[in-house]
Amino acid sequence: MKKKRRTMLYIPGNNPAMLQQGGVYGADSILLDLEDAVALNQKDAARILVRNILQSTNFYDSEVCVRVNHLDTPFGLEDLNEIVPLQPDAIRFPKTETVEELAKLIKIIEAIEDKHNLPHDKMTIHAMIETALGVQNVFEIAKFSKRVDAITIGGQDLTADMNIISTKDGSGIDLARKMIIMAAKANKIDAIDTVFVDVNDEEGLRKETEYGKQIGFTGKAVINPRQIDIIHDVYMPTEEEIRKAYRIMKEFKKNKKAGIGVFAIDGKMVDAPVMTRAAHVLELANIDFDSI
Amino acid sequence: MKNIIGREVPEYIEGIGEIDMFVGAWEKLRKGWMDEKTISPPNKAKMPHQCKSCLTFEEAITNSSPKNGMTVSFHHHLRNGDNILVRSIEILANMGIKNITLAASSLNEIHDPILKYLKDGTITKIWSSGIRGEIGKAISAGVLDIPVIIHSHGGRARAIHTGKIDLDLAIIAASAADEEGNATGSFGKSAFGSMGYAGIDSRYSKQVIVVTDNIVEYPCVPNSIRQSFVDYVVEVDSIGDASKIATGSTRITKSPMDLRIARLGAEVIEHSGFFKQGFSFQVGAGGASLAVAKYIREKMKKAEIKGSFILGGVTSYGVDMLNEGLFNAIFDVQSFDAAVCSSLVENRKHIEIPAALYANPYNCGCMTNKLDVVVLGALEIDLNFNVNVITGSDGTIRGASGGHSDTASGANLTVVVCPSFRGRLPIVKKSIHTVVTPGETIDVLVTERGICVNPMKPELEQNLIKAGLNVRKIKDLQQEVEAIVGKEKEVEYTDKIVALIEYRDGTIIDVIRQVKRNG
């Protein structure tokens, strides 16, 4: 079953207690952050800490990603040298703007992997779009390499780059959100929404997550573990959706045995896209397709 | 000798005498009665129209004829805002009274100033359900020659009934009282809610003083303390700081870890088989324990379940659930929140109960025996599910037995919620410093790293596994925790026993030894 990415929990790379507990909150992904969460004078300490944590800590079922610093900073290369050999599930690359810099990143990653006799197809890359230029190039970025399996939007930086005021309704970055989703969907990869910064506004979080789900985001970044349950709740299909998906998949199995590709339920045609959607619903509801 | 749960408890202890060993949580109750005789309350009389009012607190205490070797009792309903206990002891000490047995239903940090009276022989013996702050440290360091006795809330009522705690003077703080001593905690500027722990003291103590900062016109109604038991009444400027009664314990935590554990705890309850129409429920205040109520509240609404009663220390959260119709009644032995008071006065389904009705195992209807689900905390828990709620990681006394063992013994489902470690300190451990609540009364442990079911409850384990919860063996969890935080440095003790842990039935389940000083 494809891994769910409804929630991606940011954990500052310089906070040992939070890093150690990262896996216990049930987030689909956790993101050990070496970039914006870490002050300039703590970059080295955070890198060493995250390196050690990756080797010693059980993150249970969560996917583990590390956000490195950009290659334009003095820290980016050092981050990759330390982290790539440990092969977390993914590297998140901030402020991705062009395919050229993505090519440079992948080249460095693969060189490190070669040095350590590691495969090139295990650790994936999440390209983070945080500038207007990145948004303009997002389709090419999403398409560039098979290693890129998620596009994420960094709302705070994008707002700053666009020189607009951040509003709760997110109207300023709405187009960017949709362009990123479209680019991701066109390349069959995940699109992850930006964080909701007011951790005490549970209703606001719910509303924004519902909107994100509606326009096509696969999941949402999280800055406080308290936000996880609300997002999972939003992404949980309704009972009616689950029942319908269950019926579709059951019929599909039956018809497949009989060699029938397209069939109808309640007079409505069921074809490949409908089945893909049904499989996704079951996956979100934690129902194993093969157990049906 | 080692008792039935493997704790090293001597058969005889200097200053205490022969030790009645713990024989199992329910063993002594099976008979249907207790061997100890109950004592009669004192016979007292007043002349017609005799005035009970005293001009000063000193006068009231003088009138009660204090003497060396006396036992003085206090309730802890003012928790960490209490102004009365320390002042009373100071007055007694100034009068030159020595060798006092202090029978406070619990001791908090605010009582630290009495430490000097433990050192100078004013107080030589203590009964209490909880001891914190400097007093806890000093007792652990061996300041008293006679071991302190830590009892449960139900155990205290039992010990007073049997005369093991033989009260000479009860000093009862009230937020409102009349000139005859009818008294309550439910209204007035220092209102603190239920007076559940004080009632039995007023009944059994040879002398009773009601202290209030709010004399009201006769009669004071409603009242928890009746005039027929009260010898003297005195007004003081302030009985305490009501804002410190709650100490923030009634707000739902914002700690992501506590909330995570609480959510898992609520899921355990939901799938335990006891989450059904008419279930009764108790949660502790603060931390993950109270937060379980938040999730249970949501689940009850969703599943349209209506419970029977909420028991225990009551928070405004419990009152909200009563008002929403989620439960039929609240039985309130102590209120954790001043906001509870108006409900106590106005809602007849919010019922104040005395400690004996709450938890004394030796009567025919203690409320803890009717509990379906209780959620409790822990300072430490061992592989046999024995729980420590009294001593910290350094072996010193810093907690409270409270109603922990009472509710665990009575409830159909006892859920302990706690993190598997705090900072670098393991909570789930091979062996714990002190056992307060025996593992046979704990059904399930809920931590952020997994849920462990007592092997004595295989059916519960199956229910939780079926629900897809992360059920694992407690030994595996303990080993994982040890791998994360490392092995703890052993605390070194001397042979001197500084406290006894009395189980609710009066037997001794464990002892606390003096912590060895470094160097």
Side-chain angles (χ1 to χ4, degrees):
Chain A
M1 213 193 300
K2 184 174 170 287
K3 274 212 108 144
K4 284 178 284 199
R5 279 184 180 144
R6 300 162 299 178
T7 43
M8 286 203 162
L9 172 64
Y10 272 99
I11 303 171
N14 58 347
N15 187 322
M18 286 168 82
L19 288 167
Q20 195 172 50
Q21 303 286 22
V24 304
Y25 296 108
D28 292 335
S29 296
I30 56 166
L31 192 71
L32 316 182
D33 191 11
L34 299 176
E35 201 219 8
D36 283 354
V38 179
L40 287 179
N41 63 0
Q42 289 188 35
K43 292 286 186 191
D44 292 343
R47 187 185 308 121
I48 293 166
L49 182 60
V50 166
R51 181 193 69 192
N52 292 345
I53 285 280
L54 281 173
Q55 294 173 96
S56 63
T57 303
N58 185 351
F59 293 107
Y60 304 101
D61 294 333
S62 298
E63 176 188 39
V64 181
C65 316
V66 177
R67 180 163 76 167
V68 295
N69 288 282
H70 198 278
L71 288 169
D72 289 348
T73 69
F75 318 108
L77 186 60
E78 248 328 273
D79 289 349
L80 292 172
N81 278 328
E82 289 287 355
I83 303 303
V84 172
L86 299 171
Q87 297 274 290
D89 294 312
I91 289 280
R92 177 174 287 203
F93 190 61
K95 296 186 185 67
T96 316
E97 292 192 307
T98 63
V99 287
E100 287 75 23
E101 62 188 19
L102 195 56
K104 186 177 163 192
L105 172 79
I106 292 173
K107 203 172 155 195
I108 294 170
I109 288 175
E110 291 184 350
I112 299 168
E113 286 172 339
D114 288 342
K115 197 171 142 193
H116 291 85
N117 289 324
L118 294 164
H120 293 175
D121 58 355
K122 201 169 148 264
M123 189 184 74
T124 66
I125 293 166
H126 299 172
M128 195 162 181
I129 305 297
E130 301 179 87
T131 61
L133 182 59
V135 175
Q136 284 301 329
N137 290 331
V138 67
F139 175 73
E140 296 300 326
I141 290 167
K143 197 176 84 166
F144 180 72
S145 163
K146 275 198 171 150
R147 292 195 84 151
V148 177
D149 77 336
I151 300 287
T152 75
I153 173 168
Q156 301 297 310
D157 282 295
L158 181 58
T159 308
D161 186 60
M162 289 169 72
N163 197 19
I164 55 174
I165 293 164
S166 173
T167 55
K168 250 196 175 160
D169 67 358
S171 53
I173 59 166
D174 195 49
L175 175 67
R177 274 193 163 117
K178 287 171 178 166
M179 284 176 73
I180 284 166
I181 291 165
M182 209 52 79
K185 301 282 167 177
N187 289 288
K188 310 273 182 248
I189 62 176
D190 290 335
I192 314 293
D193 198 6
T194 189
V195 296
F196 185 78
V197 287
D198 185 352
V199 293
N200 291 322
D201 182 4
E202 296 188 353
E203 267 319 295
L205 171 67
R206 184 175 287 276
K207 233 169 121 182
E208 187 171 287
T209 311
E210 279 167 355
Y211 178 69
K213 181 187 171 191
Q214 194 184 322
I215 62 174
F217 276 120
T218 322
K220 190 166 178 61
V222 169
I223 45 167
N224 187 304
R226 274 154 49 199
Q227 297 181 317
I228 293 170
D229 290 337
I230 293 171
I231 298 173
H232 285 186
D233 195 40
V234 170
Y235 275 93
M236 178 60 92
T238 62
E239 199 181 320
E240 199 184 332
E241 286 172 320
I242 297 168
R243 282 184 192 285
K244 195 174 159 198
Y246 184 82
R247 255 182 89 198
I248 290 169
M249 293 313 288
K250 219 171 140 183
E251 284 295 313
F252 166 69
K253 272 198 160 180
K254 211 168 78 186
N255 285 303
K256 198 177 160 193
K257 267 190 191 163
I260 304 166
V262 180
F263 56 95
I265 289 181
D266 301 335
K268 285 182 189 157
M269 189 183 78
V270 176
D271 55 7
V274 177
M275 271 166 333
T276 308
R277 163 92 189 125
H280 185 61
V281 167
L282 292 183
E283 176 203 321
L284 287 174
N286 280 333
I287 296 168
D288 189 359
F289 167 68
D290 297 327
S291 70
I292 296 172
Chain B
M1 66 175 281
K2 277 197 164 57
N3 69 11
I4 191 170
I5 56 164
R7 308 301 294 191
E8 196 64 54
V9 179
E11 287 164 273
Y12 180 87
I13 295 174
E14 204 58 51
I16 301 287
E18 299 278 335
I19 296 301
D20 192 3
M21 288 285 175
F22 177 69
V23 286
W26 301 282
E27 212 42 47
K28 290 197 51 153
L29 305 184
R30 288 188 209 285
K31 267 188 204 174
W33 69 87
M34 68 174 159
D35 297 325
E36 297 84 355
K37 293 266 185 297
T38 50
I39 61 163
S40 308
N43 290 315
K44 298 193 282 192
K46 294 276 174 194
M47 289 300 287
H49 300 284
Q50 187 178 339
C51 178
K52 294 180 179 180
S53 298
C54 302
L55 286 175
T56 63
F57 200 4
E58 287 78 359
E59 183 192 325
I61 290 180
T62 307
N63 286 350
S64 72
S65 311
K67 57 181 192 293
N68 291 339
M70 72 189 301
T71 299
V72 189
S73 87
F74 300 88
H75 66 70
H76 70 286
H77 291 292
L78 287 161
R79 299 165 76 81
N80 224 17
D82 177 20
N83 281 349
I84 296 303
L85 187 147
V86 173
R87 196 163 155 204
S88 306
I89 299 296
E90 278 168 356
I91 292 169
L92 288 165
N94 288 340
M95 292 171 75
I97 307 297
K98 293 281 176 194
N99 211 12
I100 291 170
T101 296
L102 173 62
S105 54
S106 197
L107 291 167
N108 275 299
E109 284 90 351
I110 196 162
H111 303 127
D112 281 353
I114 66 164
L115 181 53
K116 64 177 173 186
Y117 303 115
L118 272 64
K119 290 176 178 165
D120 73 2
T122 303
I123 295 169
T124 49
K125 200 172 168 185
I126 295 177
W127 292 79
S128 191
S129 76
I131 300 175
R132 302 175 180 85
E134 294 303 317
I135 306 171
K137 284 183 205 161
I139 289 168
S140 296
V143 70
L144 294 179
D145 290 332
I146 303 172
V148 163
I149 301 180
I150 307 285
H151 49 60
S152 72
H153 287 327
R156 181 175 193 266
R158 188 215 72 255
I160 293 174
H161 277 302
T162 58
K164 261 177 119 177
I165 302 178
D166 188 7
L167 300 177
D168 294 300
L169 173 61
I171 297 177
I172 298 174
S175 65
D178 61 33
E179 61 194 17
E180 277 296 318
N182 296 299
T184 181
S186 63
F187 63 89
K189 65 173 181 181
S190 308
F192 51 82
S194 171
M195 269 173 104
Y197 298 124
I200 193 164
D201 299 41
S202 75
R203 222 164 247 261
Y204 275 89
S205 184
K206 293 174 193 79
Q207 294 281 290
V208 176
I209 298 172
V210 164
V211 194
T212 185
D213 51 12
N214 181 27
I215 292 280
V216 297
E217 210 167 83
Y218 187 84
C220 172
V221 279
N223 53 61
S224 311
I225 303 296
R226 295 288 162 88
Q227 64 186 51
S228 46
F229 302 115
V230 179
D231 295 274
Y232 303 103
V233 179
V234 62
E235 190 173 24
V236 294
D237 290 341
S238 166
I239 57 165
D241 181 351
S243 69
K244 288 187 182 156
I245 301 171
T247 332
S249 62
T250 64
R251 283 192 299 271
I252 297 288
T253 177
K254 287 198 165 166
S255 149
M257 181 62 74
D258 282 346
L259 287 169
R260 172 75 183 159
I261 296 167
R263 192 183 171 94
L264 293 172
E267 283 175 20
V268 163
I269 293 167
E270 182 184 12
H271 299 290
S272 65
F274 295 103
F275 185 64
K276 53 190 177 196
Q277 299 295 345
F279 85 110
S280 53
F281 187 48
Q282 178 167 352
V283 290
S289 183
L290 178 61
V292 172
K294 167 184 148 85
Y295 295 111
I296 286 294
R297 181 189 198 173
E298 289 166 11
K299 287 180 191 297
M300 288 176 79
K301 285 181 186 171
K302 207 170 164 190
E304 295 182 358
I305 282 177
K306 186 179 175 183
S308 169
F309 63 86
I310 291 176
L311 179 63
V314 172
T315 64
S316 52
Y317 209 79
V319 170
D320 290 346
M321 290 170 86
L322 175 69
N323 291 338
E324 286 172 348
L326 293 176
F327 286 93
N328 190 35
I330 290 179
F331 290 98
D332 186 346
V333 69
Q334 67 171 323
S335 315
F336 288 139
D337 189 336
V340 170
C341 295
S342 58
S343 166
L344 193 57
V345 174
E346 288 158 18
N347 190 341
R348 64 190 178 85
K349 292 280 193 169
H350 186 153
I351 304 151
E352 180 172 337
I353 56 167
L357 176 57
Y358 170 53
N360 180 6
Y362 287 107
N363 65 42
C364 292
C366 79
M367 295 303 300
T368 51
N369 278 356
K370 284 182 65 66
L371 258 183
D372 286 311
V373 179
V374 67
V375 183
L376 300 168
L379 291 174
E380 297 177 321
I381 181 163
D382 72 15
L383 299 180
N384 295 317
F385 293 82
N386 295 308
V387 174
N388 171 19
V389 281
I390 192 81
T391 42
S393 58
D394 57 357
T396 61
I397 300 170
R398 49 155 287 203
S401 163
H404 202 280
S405 64
D406 297 318
T407 51
S409 151
N412 278 325
L413 177 72
T414 300
V415 183
V416 168
V417 288
C418 61
S420 60
F421 60 94
R422 291 185 180 94
R424 286 197 56 203
L425 302 169
I427 308 297
V428 184
K429 303 169 67 175
K430 260 187 200 160
S431 69
I432 59 180
H433 291 296
T434 314
V435 175
V436 172
T437 300
E440 64 183 307
T441 63
I442 304 292
D443 299 309
V444 56
L445 165 69
V446 179
T447 76
E448 79 289 2
R449 287 171 196 272
I451 292 157
C452 309
V453 181
N454 192 323
M456 293 158 83
K457 295 291 169 92
E459 198 181 321
L460 175 65
E461 186 170 35
Q462 281 313 309
N463 288 347
L464 301 185
I465 290 170
K466 254 187 244 160
L469 294 172
N470 177 22
V471 176
R472 51 193 300 201
K473 298 285 168 221
I474 194 165
K475 195 168 181 9
D476 295 342
L477 179 62
Q478 177 267 324
Q479 283 170 349
E480 180 181 334
V481 169
E482 195 175 283
I484 295 170
V485 299
K487 272 211 167 113
E488 224 188 350
K489 197 179 160 201
E490 296 265 323
V491 175
E492 285 187 73
Y493 298 101
T494 72
D495 289 337
K496 178 175 171 167
I497 289 169
V498 295
L500 308 183
I501 309 298
E502 189 191 73
Y503 191 59
R504 59 200 303 264
D505 62 7
T507 59
I508 301 302
I509 190 164
D510 205 354
V511 296
I512 302 173
R513 292 185 169 79
Q514 181 185 33
V515 176
K516 211 181 243 182
R517 278 192 193 172
N518 289 330

